[in-house]
Amino acid sequence: MPALMKLLLDGGHLHGDCLTVTGRTVAENLAGMLVETNAVLRPLSDPLSRVGGVVGLRGTLAPQGGIVKIAGLKRLQFRGPARVFDREEDASAAVQKRDYAEGSVIVIRYEGPRGGPGMREMLATTAAIYGQGMGEKVALITDGRFSGATRGFCIGHVGPEAAVGGPIALIRDGDIIVIDASAGTLDVELDDAELTRRRVAWTPRSPNISSGALWRYAAVVGDAVEGAVTHPGSKAAR
């Protein structure tokens, strides 16, 4: 770690004047350190990748954003028809039966902070897709979340979530979804007028839980983009 810190410091990516527990600054701790780069610790002039392993996306399908892990992906663009599921269990069952087509975009919604409730982990479904050799032959988007173990073209944390009427709630089977991790975009090929018509016709779903701590949590939790934290509800408290 000190060698990595030295490379970052010399590259202008660390604040060297920050005081540390040694009583000295970061720069003072690293002064005089000689670093030999290799296949693991690469020089800043020759990085493994010019961008990080995680990319934020925004667009008509994700006005508040979404997150995709691009580390290891061979392709950074995807376009295909939506295959929509309103909960993870239904999506997982369809994947287990291979009831989906190559080139499609699997949509799992109502799994966000409010809808889950609790922003459920979607790893089981994505692992099954990858295990079937379809990891980069389909894409998956969700208002739920992913851990770092996710593989394949999978976008999570899409907001606003379906439970509050975000665009992901308005998607129908067959709608064309366009993902571009290079440009940082996530869009659906629908015009504003059609999205508005669908939004007017949309009605909130009944909560999955109608009492207890999770019900209370779902009633007060904020958007994923703000950390999916609970708050008393006033704008000043967010």
Side-chain angles (χ1 to χ4, degrees):
M1 287 305 298
L4 174 59
M5 291 177 67
K6 176 63 172 174
L7 285 178
L8 293 173
L9 178 67
D10 290 346
H13 300 292
L14 287 183
H15 292 288
D17 57 349
C18 288
L19 192 65
T20 71
V21 294
T22 66
R24 297 173 297 184
T25 65
V26 170
E28 289 171 340
N29 286 341
L30 300 174
M33 176 174 288
L34 299 177
V35 179
E36 182 177 341
T37 56
N38 50 48
V40 175
L41 193 61
R42 301 171 67 97
L44 291 174
S45 59
D46 184 28
L48 185 64
S49 173
R50 293 288 176 183
V51 297
V54 177
V55 171
L57 309 176
R58 287 184 186 270
T60 56
L61 189 49
Q64 290 181 344
I67 299 294
V68 60
K69 186 178 79 172
I70 63 171
L73 288 182
K74 296 177 181 178
R75 57 188 293 191
L76 298 181
Q77 291 81 29
F78 200 101
R79 180 181 181 274
R83 178 83 157 84
V84 182
F85 300 92
D86 284 350
R87 61 177 192 153
E88 183 197 14
E89 289 83 356
D90 294 340
S92 184
V95 169
Q96 293 294 338
K97 294 184 293 185
R98 294 179 180 264
D99 184 18
Y100 64 96
E102 180 177 332
S104 60
V105 180
I106 297 172
V107 179
I108 308 178
R109 61 191 181 189
Y110 294 101
E111 296 291 10
R114 298 177 184 85
M119 208 172 187
R120 301 170 69 198
E121 166 69 70
M122 300 290 110
L123 181 59
T125 303
T126 60
I129 292 171
Y130 199 88
Q132 292 172 356
M134 299 291 283
E136 294 198 38
K137 297 178 181 179
V138 299
L140 186 148
I141 69 170
T142 179
D143 51 9
R145 65 182 176 85
F146 293 125
S147 70
T150 301
R151 294 183 290 179
F153 214 143
C154 301
I155 301 165
H157 303 238
V158 170
E161 63 176 294
V164 298
I168 192 172
L170 311 178
I171 301 304
R172 299 173 183 171
D173 285 340
D175 289 342
I176 300 300
I177 295 174
V178 183
I179 307 162
D180 190 334
S182 294
T185 56
L186 174 58
D187 295 298
V188 56
E189 292 186 350
L190 297 172
D191 59 31
D192 292 341
E194 177 61 21
L195 285 172
T196 298
R197 282 192 290 270
R198 294 188 186 185
R199 186 171 290 107
V200 170
W202 177 83
T203 55
R205 286 165 50 97
S206 298
N208 295 332
I209 297 172
S210 58
S211 63
L214 281 178
W215 171 82
R216 184 177 296 276
Y217 167 86
V220 298
V221 68
D223 294 330
V225 71
E226 296 175 344
V229 296
T230 58
H231 53 73
S234 68
K235 292 183 178 180
R238 295 183 182 180

